[in-house]
Amino acid sequence: MKYSIVNGERSEAQPSLSGHCQTCGSPTIAKCGKVKIWHWAHRGKRMCDPWWENETEWHRNWKNCFPDNWQERIHTAESGEKHIADIKTIKDWVIEFQHSHLNPEERRARNDFYEKLAWVVDGTRRKRDKPKFWESLKEMATVTNTQSPVRRILKVLWNDCALFREWSGCPAPVFFDFGKEDPMLWCLLPQNSDRETYVLEFLRAGFITFHRNEIIEKDFFSDLIKNFRTTVAKLSSFSQE
Ligand SMILES: [Zn+2]
């Protein structure tokens, strides 16, 4: 965890600090070694949130694209079930950064738990994913509106790529990240009613600024995803005629 409670305040790990977990209240200890990024761990017991994934530099870099007070927010369901959201925006979007393999049951549970969820998936973990990803796509349309963070719409033609096999049934948008030198993210939209799958070429910087937009009356990210789902539904009926 990046944060623990120290003297009543959310604090980052520093050598020899101790604190308390913001989720369960158990004592925590700062781990400030040379190999892993500095973090907090529960003293003598396992992490209390079973959905928690050990943080990598990739996780930290992503979290740090957003304000401190949006990072590692506790989300409590009506049932009392609690989990730590990697990011929770002021528009109540939860962004989960996923590096390691996720079993389908846990993916489903997390999709159900968070009402407004977007996934960012590390596409660099397996070498073969990126070339397979490209082989699976066919360009459908270019977006000419320069205000839009979306550049192109592509259709997934077959599921030869593990990323699509794992994620294409997901009801939340999934952003594949193929490394920060790529200025684009690849947004897998939820499948349409014909079980077709589409991908948006999405500006990385646009993903961040759309979420960081603090004009409270308007949920730009929701509107954008909704609009593109409509566009894609049209494209798909078009291609069947
Ligand atoms: Zn805890």
Side-chain angles (χ1 to χ4, degrees):
M1 297 172 286
K2 182 176 170 187
Y3 296 103
S4 255
I5 306 296
V6 180
N7 298 325
E9 289 197 31
R10 264 160 59 95
S11 308
E12 292 189 39
Q14 290 290 332
S16 74
L17 264 192
S18 53
H20 288 90
C21 170
Q22 44 168 357
T23 314
C24 71
S26 304
T28 52
I29 182 162
K31 301 273 189 181
C32 304
K34 289 202 173 91
V35 181
K36 289 189 188 170
I37 45 166
W38 289 11
H39 65 281
W40 290 96
H42 287 73
R43 198 185 280 270
K45 76 169 191 126
R46 289 177 58 152
M47 176 65 187
C48 57
D49 187 342
W51 290 354
W52 185 259
E53 175 185 23
N54 282 339
E55 283 179 287
T56 59
E57 209 177 323
W58 177 80
H59 286 94
R60 266 312 157 78
N61 288 340
W62 263 112
K63 283 184 194 173
N64 290 338
C65 293
F66 299 94
D68 291 354
N69 59 353
W70 294 10
Q71 302 177 23
E72 295 187 5
R73 300 312 309 202
I74 315 282
H75 185 86
T76 311
E78 276 176 25
S79 65
E81 185 178 342
K82 278 186 202 178
H83 292 285
I84 306 171
D86 286 334
I87 293 294
K88 190 169 181 184
T89 74
I90 49 165
K91 315 277 166 73
D92 289 331
W93 273 95
V94 166
I95 308 174
E96 291 278 80
F97 303 110
Q98 190 63 35
H99 166 77
S100 54
H101 176 76
L102 190 60
N103 72 55
E105 294 74 38
E106 184 177 330
R107 185 184 297 113
R108 206 170 305 130
R110 282 158 75 171
N111 280 322
D112 289 345
F113 184 74
Y114 296 117
E115 211 172 302
K116 286 160 79 177
L117 172 64
W119 294 92
V120 177
V121 172
D122 187 353
T124 65
R125 185 171 60 90
R126 291 174 300 216
K127 288 255 173 305
R128 62 188 180 278
D129 280 350
K130 193 175 173 180
K132 285 284 181 196
F133 180 87
W134 284 112
E135 287 170 21
S136 312
L137 294 176
K138 179 191 172 194
E139 181 162 336
M140 297 298 284
T142 306
V143 177
T144 48
N145 174 6
T146 52
Q147 303 295 309
S148 174
V150 177
R151 290 291 175 265
R152 285 187 293 163
I153 303 173
L154 304 103
K155 186 175 179 182
V156 181
L157 295 183
W158 57 83
N159 269 3
D160 202 22
C161 172
L163 287 175
F164 290 131
R165 278 201 302 275
E166 290 163 1
W167 290 95
S168 60
C170 192
V174 181
F175 291 79
F176 297 117
D177 174 7
F178 290 117
K180 57 177 188 271
E181 52 299 326
D182 186 345
M184 298 296 176
L185 297 172
W186 304 88
C187 170
L188 177 70
L189 289 172
Q191 273 177 349
N192 66 17
S193 51
D194 297 323
R195 298 185 67 82
E196 289 176 325
T197 313
Y198 285 86
V199 169
L200 306 176
E201 184 188 27
F202 205 108
L203 274 172
R204 178 185 294 271
F207 176 77
I208 297 163
T209 50
F210 260 63
H211 279 295
R212 291 195 63 153
N213 191 309
E214 299 197 11
I215 300 171
I216 202 79
E217 303 79 41
K218 218 166 148 30
D219 184 346
F220 293 98
F221 187 73
S222 291
D223 292 348
L224 184 84
I225 294 295
K226 226 179 282 167
N227 287 344
F228 275 100
R229 291 191 75 172
T230 316
T231 308
V232 154
K234 281 184 200 148
L235 272 181
S236 102
S237 59
F238 210 64
S239 63
Q240 280 167 10
E241 277 164 15

